[in-house]
Amino acid sequence: MNFSQTPQEKLFLEMIRAFAEKEVKPLAAEIDEQERFPLETVKKMAEIGLMGIPFPTQYGGAGGTNQIYSMCVEELSRVCATTGVVVSAHTSLCCAPIFEHGTEEQKMKYLPKLCSGEWIGAFGLTEPNAGTDASAQQTTAVEEGDHYVLNGNKIFITNAEYAHVYIIFAMTDKSQGVKGITAFIVEKDFPGFSVGKKELKMGIRGSATCELIMENCIVPKENLLGKVGGGFKIAMKTLDGGRIGIASQALGIAQGAMDETVKYTKERKQFGRSLAKFQNTQFQLADLEAKINCSRLLVRKASWKKDEKLPYTVDAAMAKLFCAETAMEMTTKAVQFHGGYGYTREYPVERMMRDAKITEIYEGTSEVQRLVISSNLLK
Ligand code: CAA
């Protein structure tokens, strides 16, 4: 495994960290409070090439690695988890399946607009009755002449309200079970497509999570992604990559909470000395620091394997599971270290704790990650 970075990559990462501090951190509390999608930040991220990091320059990407992309999501999430997931859902769940399964025409049509940030991407798999059991898709796609007609609803779709392109999964042949699911590239202006109710959430409140509604939605045949009946595998492979993105987001949240806690425990004095001088603080922080470093190694390994085109399904599941649980533990303890102040919005740790929770749920719950890991172990 090679974790070293080229001088160019080092500079890129320094630039991302400076950008996160200067442009993302100051807005984090405001977009959370107002449940506002950070469109102005997306525009700025697009200008500096953050909306298509791991894709070749011929498609408008930055030509970077998945490791660098993962570090970018980590750095953004360290200061604002909403901004981290906007980039992760766009890149891993929309650009990546088009890049990995699209025809040359589809890649040339969609990737330059997505990678430049002119368009934002989203992914529509989850339905009211198909959450963890993603195979229970009820959205249908019926072939009619030169197009398909889609009917159904998707829920909990990250970026939904501001996206221009959606990867949508629908049943083309119910009798075939999971082999009857097909993927489509759907544009927001296709007839019969609309964005529905916006969810009011506990955390990542700026990320515009909505329902998608398809009522006799007309999708041209050239927008079929991959093969008819190949949609479930595309969904699973896409989620393997997405889980690296969410693991990176969780790692960033944990690191952000650690940074805040180190600062606070050095400053806050009780019983005549700083909290950092108490062995209880030192031992707890040492354990958490070790877990954050384990998280980082798991994410780096999974992204390195993706870069090397090695199988990484289980690595991504382990990274997501461990990073998400570490983020939850770190942020909960960060609030505890901050005491009463930690429970107020004066300090960012309460937001971080609310943001951390979703990393144990979306793109496969922690239980799904345990299923993926154990089924490989016991096969
Ligand atoms: N890569 C390639 N193929 C895969 C695969 C993978 N990672 N995982 C499964 N498959 C294939 C299997 O090989 C099998 O194909 P064959 O029959 O040809 O062998 C087929 O898919 C079915 O596999 P399973 O029998 O294992 O499928 P299952 O129905 O038992 O489901 C599951 C397994 C792990 C529970 C899966 O359904 C799953 O991951 N569920 C969670 C879904 C999820 O993460 N949803 C989040 C949606 S996105 C989101 O959160 C919103 C957002 O906007 C961010």
Side-chain angles (χ1 to χ4, degrees), residues 11 50 69 103 121 129 157 160 177 182 219 230 269 276 305 316 373 378:
L11 271 178
L50 304 192
Y69 158 62
T103 61
N129 294 311
I157 307 306
T182 302
V219 180
K269 283 199 171 76
K305 280 194 158 183
I373 299 162
L378 304 169

Side-chain angles (χ1 to χ4, degrees), residues 85 89 93 123 125-126 131-135 155-158 178-179 232-233 236-237 239-240 243 246 313 361-365 368-369 371-372:
V85 77
L93 299 185
F123 177 83
L125 176 70
T126 304
T132 288
D133 184 5
S135 65
I155 55 165
F156 303 152
I157 307 306
T158 308
V178 290
K179 291 191 169 58
F232 192 74
K233 284 204 180 179
M236 291 298 112
K237 284 185 185 161
L239 284 165
D240 286 344
R243 286 165 189 168
I246 300 308
T313 300
I361 298 172
Y362 61 11
E363 299 198 32
T365 59
V368 162
Q369 310 315 320
L371 258 177
V372 172

Side-chain angles (χ1 to χ4, degrees), residues 252-284:
I253 297 171
Q255 185 62 62
M258 174 59 96
D259 296 346
E260 293 297 329
T261 306
V262 165
K263 194 166 75 182
Y264 186 80
T265 55
K266 283 180 175 172
E267 284 165 3
R268 172 77 170 161
K269 283 199 171 76
Q270 289 290 275
F271 301 104
R273 53 186 171 147
S274 70
L275 299 189
K277 296 276 188 229
F278 289 89
Q279 200 173 55
N280 176 51
T281 306
Q282 295 161 1
F283 280 13
Q284 285 200 66

Side-chain angles (χ1 to χ4, degrees), residues 240 243 298 312-323 325 364-379:
D240 286 344
R243 286 165 189 168
L298 286 170
Y312 66 93
T313 300
V314 178
D315 301 86
M318 287 196 286
K320 182 176 184 287
L321 172 65
F322 199 79
C323 291
E325 295 200 341
T365 59
S366 290
E367 292 72 21
V368 162
Q369 310 315 320
R370 288 188 170 91
L371 258 177
V372 172
I373 299 162
S374 61
S375 59
N376 177 72
L377 191 65
L378 304 169
K379 73 181 172 200

Side-chain angles (χ1 to χ4, degrees), residues 131-299:
T132 288
D133 184 5
S135 65
Q137 295 286 304
Q138 286 175 2
T139 296
T140 54
V142 177
E143 194 178 346
E144 273 185 19
D146 61 354
H147 60 266
Y148 281 85
V149 181
L150 270 60
N151 277 291
N153 286 24
K154 301 287 173 181
I155 55 165
F156 303 152
I157 307 306
T158 308
N159 289 348
E161 206 180 350
Y162 291 87
H164 301 76
V165 183
Y166 305 79
I167 307 300
I168 298 289
F169 298 86
M171 274 288 181
T172 39
D173 185 352
K174 214 176 167 98
S175 69
Q176 298 288 314
V178 290
K179 291 191 169 58
I181 298 170
T182 302
F184 297 89
I185 306 172
V186 176
E187 294 181 27
K188 80 167 181 345
D189 295 328
F190 282 178
F193 181 87
S194 61
V195 175
K197 172 173 87 87
K198 180 177 161 183
E199 301 296 342
L200 299 176
K201 309 193 297 290
M202 172 194 278
I204 55 158
R205 283 155 51 104
S207 69
T209 307
C210 307
E211 180 187 20
L212 304 178
I213 302 162
M214 284 151 291
E215 279 175 333
N216 294 324
C217 173
I218 307 292
V219 180
K221 270 191 181 160
E222 63 259 28
N223 279 40
L224 197 149
L225 183 63
K227 293 190 198 119
V228 173
F232 192 74
K233 284 204 180 179
I234 292 181
M236 291 298 112
K237 284 185 185 161
T238 301
L239 284 165
D240 286 344
R243 286 165 189 168
I244 296 179
I246 300 308
S248 314
Q249 183 203 23
L251 169 61
I253 297 171
Q255 185 62 62
M258 174 59 96
D259 296 346
E260 293 297 329
T261 306
V262 165
K263 194 166 75 182
Y264 186 80
T265 55
K266 283 180 175 172
E267 284 165 3
R268 172 77 170 161
K269 283 199 171 76
Q270 289 290 275
F271 301 104
R273 53 186 171 147
S274 70
L275 299 189
K277 296 276 188 229
F278 289 89
Q279 200 173 55
N280 176 51
T281 306
Q282 295 161 1
F283 280 13
Q284 285 200 66
L285 290 186
D287 287 346
L288 289 163
E289 178 68 357
K291 286 186 183 173
I292 291 173
N293 274 280
C294 289
S295 302
R296 188 166 286 113
L297 286 171
L298 286 170
V299 185

